[in-house]
Amino acid sequence: MAQFADVVAVAPDLASQVMRLLPRELQDAFVQSPNLFMLFTSMGLAAVLVASFWMLTGMGKASSLARIALRGQALKRTKDHRALVLIAEIEGGDHMLRQEMKEAIEDNFGLFSFEQNVQVDLFPIRLKTLPQRSHPEARRRIAVEAADALERSAADVIVWGKRNLLGKIDLRIMTLPGYGRTHEVQDIQLSWRVGRPDEIVQRALAFALARRARPVLHRPQDYKPERLQPIVEALDKMVEARPEEVSEGLQLDILSDFASGALSLGERGGHIKWLSKSLDARQLYLDKVDRTTDPSAWGAAQQEIGRALTALGEREGARDKLEEGASRLRLAMDALRSTDSLQQAEVALRALQRAEQTLQQRRRVGLRWPG
């Protein structure tokens, strides 16, 4: 209390000394209109503070952009055949979370691609994580920022997001769009326990990134069955687990890729179990897809169900499966012809011709159907 009284006593002398330092014109202005003088002085100080704030903000942003540019150049110089994954800042998460994500990708990426090694970088960029219902233009601007980071570093895929208080992380995944295509950002959600993340969640993250960076099961017929089988087996375990910690959209992607891979193995002489597993998985997938909202996905699912039934009918000599397979393939063709999936429609047509040919041959030679 005594110290405060001393400060109050010294204040008038200090103010007097400060006034003597001012030019004579300002001293006269203060004497004539002290209130007006203090008003303009306050406004001047406020302007200086605002200018200083924006200057420091600009310097910080310039420093951040410089870090991004330098890191991008360094990654581009050392880029090799491996897939390069960028992990941007995770809002609400710390360095430990990003480090765990990095290790999870490095450990599990090879399960879903033919590359055992992957390069993962904790990239120094912060991107906003907007809800799916946000304005398309706002989402597009963020996607352009993400694409710029991919171009600077020659990376294959970038992931960013935010973590809430319950430990759930809302992630966005993007690759560079093809020529003439718009930016496509995938939204996924995972329940990630920092310090002890579940193995199935780690694998789900690696799968989502491998699916975008190194899409294998989009065209499984392009790969030999012996190379494809380990990937299908890894997906089979995830399908059976059906983890609640993984968002429904990502679970559908896992289910879809497994069904396609298992069908390819079964059609090319693999064990008949793969045809049955593919049929069950694709049927489960179809139950969650609406023809009116996504006719392309619905038609593709019907096409694969028809192919699986046809292959099972041929293996087992089951007429009912061949006939149902042909019926499903006709449904698929009707749905796919109204979309841009002409390639899928051609696959359905070839499968339908094969099913009808098998049925006609059996009728021609008078073969009796089992049972």
Side-chain angles (χ1 to χ4, degrees), residues 178-364:
Y179 179 76
R181 301 177 70 96
T182 58
H183 300 85
E184 294 182 6
V185 180
Q186 181 184 7
D187 298 12
I188 67 171
Q189 292 78 39
L190 301 171
S191 295
W192 193 286
R193 294 181 293 179
V194 178
R196 48 191 179 91
D198 293 334
E199 182 181 14
I200 197 75
V201 176
Q202 297 184 56
R203 290 191 173 186
L205 173 63
F207 162 79
L209 293 168
R211 190 174 193 264
R212 299 298 296 269
R214 294 291 186 267
V216 173
L217 295 178
H218 289 162
R219 294 182 58 85
Q221 67 275 11
D222 292 347
Y223 307 98
K224 294 180 179 179
E226 57 269 24
R227 296 193 69 196
L228 199 63
Q229 186 161 334
I231 299 176
V232 177
E233 290 174 345
L235 289 173
D236 189 15
K237 294 179 181 178
M238 298 180 70
V239 169
E240 291 180 356
R242 296 185 186 180
E244 295 181 355
E245 299 86 353
V246 178
S247 59
E248 184 178 357
L250 182 53
Q251 288 197 45
L252 282 178
D253 288 341
I254 295 170
L255 196 62
S256 179
D257 279 10
F258 168 70
S260 297
L263 176 61
S264 181
L265 290 179
E267 283 184 324
R268 293 189 287 173
H271 198 281
I272 198 170
K273 73 173 183 179
W274 292 121
L275 292 174
S276 299
K277 281 178 173 286
S278 174
L279 181 60
D280 293 341
R282 191 53 79 181
Q283 193 70 257
L284 183 60
Y285 176 88
L286 188 63
D287 293 340
K288 299 181 179 181
V289 176
D290 187 356
R291 179 176 183 175
T292 57
T293 57
D294 197 349
S296 180
W298 189 91
Q302 289 285 10
Q303 177 248 107
E304 291 198 356
I305 288 175
R307 286 165 55 194
L309 285 167
T310 300
L312 281 170
E314 290 175 343
R315 296 273 191 95
E316 299 172 352
R319 179 178 180 176
D320 58 336
K321 289 184 178 177
L322 277 169
E323 290 177 343
E324 186 183 352
S327 176
R328 293 291 188 117
L329 288 167
R330 292 189 190 97
L331 284 175
M333 289 176 57
D334 290 341
L336 293 170
R337 281 172 177 168
S338 62
T339 69
D340 295 332
S341 305
L342 297 179
Q343 185 177 3
Q344 294 277 9
E346 291 177 1
V347 172
L349 176 60
R350 289 195 296 269
L352 176 60
Q353 291 172 343
R354 177 178 172 178
E356 291 176 339
Q357 184 178 9
T358 303
L359 286 167
Q360 290 175 1
Q361 287 176 348
R362 284 185 172 271
R363 294 192 190 100
R364 188 180 302 118

